[in-house]
């Protein structure tokens, strides 16, 4: 049977990770993989997470199955983070624990297909490179709306609005709440208000992917699109991930929140979502969710986590500034100011695939072919070398 299967090319990002690992040049720089790094190039376990794990080792008294929706206490905490405290107990919202943001997106896809099999989902051009295989692979019909202008290295806001104004009522629009992947460019608060007005006016179904909450401005600020829409639309889907803001990448922690027109519909939506989970992985993984739940409920740990999140956010901003300053010295004729205006870990540097290849082969500087960089790979120790290398291939 298996002989009928063709071998697939290695995933581009996994291939890049392997190439970087095998590279023996001491000065190599990794701007590829999408994880946070500290100034020593490490992806640390947060101190708040370590403390919560110690607490769980001592106090967790069962690992019996959870239900398909996961732990209601964790779900409530997560819902409050994204929708605000007032959303707790709202009988129009169901939040269920999922294996990371990816698991959340996949359950959302299953639900959309059950609710409306021919539904179309509009995604930004470009978008996270797993949105298409993940959502399209699940069977959804995907369409694109303009987002990034390679010529100006800015947001195509007017084009995006013009396109969304033509999207038929009832279609789903996927939006990155903050720290857009791969561009790092987010609409301003005023632009988000305009997007929200258009979504309401045209009766579109918002689907918000919030994988970097707290990495742009702050927890509440980064949830702006959700907060602007929750009271104004009958239906909304929100996929949240704790991979980045809690550094729990491999523990698979996330939620899917589903807003329905009324409590009765919400009961039906919840039962359908639970059944999709039951037939896919039965119950969600718990350890990382239990860690997050404990941190969010413990006043001191929560404050510590918020401090650690602010530190990560601050470092990312500082590294953007450092790179642009260094490029100003080594590549004075070129404008990289768009890197400072972006949020979170990613930006398009604005280099060609050939320049990406030369950076890799001649300078041991690794980034994905599109020229997307993860600014978390920059440190005060490598920024000079990095800027000189980029200048050399321009
Ligand atoms: C935009 C976006 N959404 C969702 C995810 C999923 O994250 P995870 O499944 O690791 O929680 C990512 C991860 O990189 C992302 O960039």
């Amino acid at each position: 049977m298996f002989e009928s299967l063709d071998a697939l090319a290695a995933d581009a990002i996994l291939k890049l990770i392997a190439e970087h690992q095998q590279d023996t040049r001491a000065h190599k720089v990794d701007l590829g993989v999408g994880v946070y790094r500290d100034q020593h190039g490490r992806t640390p376990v947060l101190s708040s997470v370590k403390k919560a794990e110690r607490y769980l080792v001592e106090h967790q008294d069962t690992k019996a199955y959870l239900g398909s929706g996961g732990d209601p206490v964790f779900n409530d905490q997560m819902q409050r983070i994204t929708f605000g405290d007032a959303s707790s107990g709202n009988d129009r919202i169901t939040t269920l624990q999922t294996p990371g943001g990816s698991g959340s997106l996949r359950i959302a896809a299953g639900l959309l297909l059950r609710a409306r099999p021919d539904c179309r989902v509009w995604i930004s051009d470009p978008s996270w490179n797993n949105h298409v295989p993940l959502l399209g692979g699940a069977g959804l019909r995907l369409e694109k709306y303009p987002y990034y202008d390679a010529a100006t290295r800015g947001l195509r806001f007017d084009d995006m609005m013009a396109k969304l104004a033509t999207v038929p009522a009832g279609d789903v629009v996927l939006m990155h709440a903050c720290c857009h992947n791969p561009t790092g460019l987010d609409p301003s608060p005023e632009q988000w208000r305009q997007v929200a007005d258009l979504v309401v006016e045209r009766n579109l179904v918002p689907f918000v992917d919030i994988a970097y909450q707290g990495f742009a401005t702050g927890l509440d600020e980064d949830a702006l699109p959700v907060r602007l829409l929750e009271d104004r639309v009958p239906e909304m889907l929100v996929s949240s991930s704790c991979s980045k803001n809690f550094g729990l990448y491999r523990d698979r922690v996330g939620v899917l929140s589903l807003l329905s027109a009324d409590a009765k519909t919400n009961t039906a939506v919840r039962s359908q979502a639970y059944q999709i989970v039951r037939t896919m992985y039965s119950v969600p993984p718990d350890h990382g969710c239990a860690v997050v739940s404990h941190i969010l409920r413990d006043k001191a740990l929560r404050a510590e986590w918020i401090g650690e999140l602010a530190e990560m956010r601050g470092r990312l901003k500082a590294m953007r500034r450092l790179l642009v300053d260094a490029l100003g010295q080594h590549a004075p004729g070129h404008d990289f100011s768009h890197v400072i205006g972006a949020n979170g870990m990613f930006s398009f540097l604005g280099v060609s695939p050939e320049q990406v290849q030369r950076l890799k082969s001649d300078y041991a500087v690794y980034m994905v072919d599109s020229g997307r960089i993860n600014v978390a790979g920059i440190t005060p120790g490598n920024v000079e070398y990095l800027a000189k290398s980029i200048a050399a291939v321009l």
Side-chain angles (χ1 to χ4, degrees), residues 264-283:
K264 185 167 166 268
T265 317
N266 194 36
T267 306
V269 166
R270 185 184 312 125
S271 68
Q272 294 277 345
Y274 284 10
Q275 198 200 51
I276 295 170
V277 171
R278 183 79 179 125
T279 55
M280 213 184 272
Y281 51 79
S282 191
V283 294

Side-chain angles (χ1 to χ4, degrees), residues 17-79:
I17 294 171
E19 282 174 347
H20 177 262
Q21 269 168 1
Q22 283 155 17
D23 194 325
T24 51
R25 289 172 283 185
H27 54 274
K28 63 185 177 181
V29 181
D30 181 8
L31 306 179
V33 63
V35 296
Y36 176 79
R37 303 246 175 79
D38 64 16
Q39 78 266 33
H40 307 295
R42 290 188 302 245
T43 303
V45 179
L46 299 187
S47 159
S48 52
V49 165
K50 274 270 181 222
K51 287 179 186 164
E53 289 186 315
R54 273 189 215 113
Y55 175 89
L56 289 180
V57 166
E58 291 304 320
H59 295 92
Q60 195 174 44
D61 51 13
T62 181
K63 287 196 183 276
Y65 287 124
L66 292 166
S68 295
D71 175 8
V73 177
F74 165 74
N75 292 335
D76 179 58
Q77 294 290 339
M78 287 296 293
Q79 186 177 303

